[in-house]
Amino acid sequence: MEILVTGGAGYIGSHTCLELIAQGHQVIIADNLSNSHRLSVERIQSISQKEIVFYEVNLCYEKAIEDIFQAHAIDAVIHFAGFKAVGESVEKPLMYYQNNLESTLVLCKTMERHKVHRLVFSSSATVYGMNSKSPIAEHASLYATNPYGRTKLFIEKILRDWSKTIPESSVALLRYFNPVGAHSSGLIGEDPQGIPNNLMPYITQVAAGRREILSIFGNDYDTIDGTGVRDYIHVMDLALGHVKALEYTLNSKVCDAFNLGTGKGTSVLELVKAFELVTGQKVPYQISKRRSGDVATCFANPTKAKNKLSWEATRDVVQMCRDSWNWQRKHPMGYLSS
Ligand code: UD1
């Protein structure tokens, strides 16, 4: 199939492109490189030994997207593109609502005009808010605590409404838990701009000497060791989840949501210790106060994806740490090191 991947140069997008190509699909990337690097596209090509069609475009520009749909016989779309920093979304809510919502609306309108009915959307476990008890299943109540999370929630609702109007449509909403790791080549990986918000890139940057010390946000939660528990999932498992979801959209005529997680919780301290053991790198840390908006525990019930998508995460925390470090070690400054 010919698949349009929006945000395909980004962290999860680039890994998914590789998995799509490995499964025999043709990939067209549309990305404005606002939070990604052109080099990642070159790396996808060199790893896969396949030519990739790349458009540097802002998805909000309808004409540019129309041109892509005119130029290719697109069978399905995987939609990753969007702003994703929680803190920034609180400071610039309009920017987040405008970018994330408008781009999705433009994309859907263009898909509708070209009778492209299959869509996989990059959502997040953030749509479960703070109140759900883990393991969290898809039918848990939905609630977002910040503008970024609300854009995910709103888009899920928009896609549900939209799909009801088109009987042939098939939409998979993929709610990711905590993606970490990198492709085993170490040629592509997560390259956050500025100070990382998420735990794993912070750990790897401390290990690489880019940051002095990791702050652990609270050790007085009601968890195994007092630190926050999350469901870390290897980005290559996540990538395969997208391919499976894409295959699912071939045979379904609904809009449905799926958790992509391992179903296993790991605490901050457990992850730090596993990282040190696997990599032999010391990660100095200090305990600091809780981060506002954090929950003690959040992990998935991944049964629905297993049953309906025939997908299950297979890589463990050891492999996640090894691959995250392999990327960071080879690229201490991310793509700029190249
Ligand atoms: C965060 C976002 C969430 C987003 C998700 C995926 C917040 C409040 N939530 O979730 O909306 O969907 O990332 O990108 O930002 N931690 C530290 N020190 C650090 C960084 C994190 O101790 O420097 C702890 C956190 O308190 C948490 C765990 O590590 O217990 C994981 O944090 P993080 O990687 O930011 O993911 P989430 O909190 O799950």
Side-chain angles (χ1 to χ4, degrees), residues 239-257:
L240 184 62
H242 289 76
V243 178
K244 293 288 187 184
L246 193 68
E247 287 165 5
Y248 172 81
T249 63
L250 287 173
N251 303 313
S252 89
K253 293 274 173 280
V254 288
C255 178
D256 211 352

Side-chain angles (χ1 to χ4, degrees), residues 142-280:
L142 303 181
Y143 172 73
T145 56
N146 55 69
Y148 154 74
R150 269 186 283 281
T151 67
K152 293 291 180 195
L153 200 50
F154 292 162
I155 292 170
E156 283 202 5
K157 289 185 189 301
I158 289 169
L159 295 179
R160 282 189 195 278
D161 288 341
W162 179 54
S163 78
K164 280 187 207 136
T165 67
I166 304 173
E168 312 90 303
S169 74
S170 181
V171 180
L173 311 169
L174 302 185
R175 296 175 181 159
Y176 315 148
F177 280 72
N178 294 65
V180 297
H183 187 261
S184 56
S185 64
L187 287 172
I188 57 171
E190 186 171 15
D191 184 13
Q193 285 179 3
I195 301 169
N197 298 307
N198 297 118
L199 180 60
M200 185 61 102
Y202 210 107
I203 291 177
T204 59
Q205 289 195 9
V206 169
R210 241 176 106 172
R211 318 232 162 245
E212 215 171 304
I213 190 165
L214 169 74
S215 290
I216 295 184
F217 301 143
N219 66 349
D220 55 355
Y221 286 106
D222 183 13
T223 61
I224 179 170
D225 53 24
T227 64
V229 167
R230 295 291 183 274
D231 188 340
Y232 298 96
I233 173 168
H234 197 292
V235 67
M236 289 310 296
D237 278 330
L238 202 60
L240 184 62
H242 289 76
V243 178
K244 293 288 187 184
L246 193 68
E247 287 165 5
Y248 172 81
T249 63
L250 287 173
N251 303 313
S252 89
K253 293 274 173 280
V254 288
C255 178
D256 211 352
F258 300 95
N259 286 341
L260 295 188
T262 63
K264 190 178 170 301
T266 303
S267 77
V268 177
L269 272 175
E270 284 175 329
L271 192 68
V272 170
K273 295 293 161 211
F275 183 89
E276 289 186 333
L277 203 66
V278 173
T279 64

Side-chain angles (χ1 to χ4, degrees), residues 4 15 29 31 58 81 85 127 166 192 201 205 213 216 224 226 232 331:
L4 174 64
H15 288 80
I29 295 178
D31 197 307
N58 185 332
V127 299
I166 304 173
Q205 289 195 9
I213 190 165
I216 295 184
I224 179 170
Y232 298 96
H331 303 88

Side-chain angles (χ1 to χ4, degrees), residues 232 264 266 271 274 278 315-322:
Y232 298 96
K264 190 178 170 301
T266 303
L271 192 68
V278 173
R315 293 161 176 92
D316 62 8
V317 166
V318 168
Q319 203 164 344
M320 297 179 209
C321 291
R322 193 193 300 132

Side-chain angles (χ1 to χ4, degrees), residues 7-18 29 31 33 35-47 181-183 185-193 205 210 235 327-338:
Y11 172 44
I12 303 170
S14 57
H15 288 80
T16 301
C17 286
L18 273 181
I29 295 178
D31 197 307
L33 302 180
N35 190 27
S36 56
H37 211 286
R38 185 181 294 277
L39 261 179
S40 75
V41 179
E42 287 171 25
R43 300 277 170 85
I44 300 168
Q45 298 194 122
S46 69
I47 298 168
H183 187 261
S185 64
L187 287 172
I188 57 171
E190 186 171 15
D191 184 13
Q193 285 179 3
Q205 289 195 9
R210 241 176 106 172
V235 67
W327 153 252
Q328 183 77 69
R329 186 176 56 82
K330 289 182 174 156
H331 303 88
M333 301 305 286
Y335 285 104
L336 286 179
S337 325
S338 311

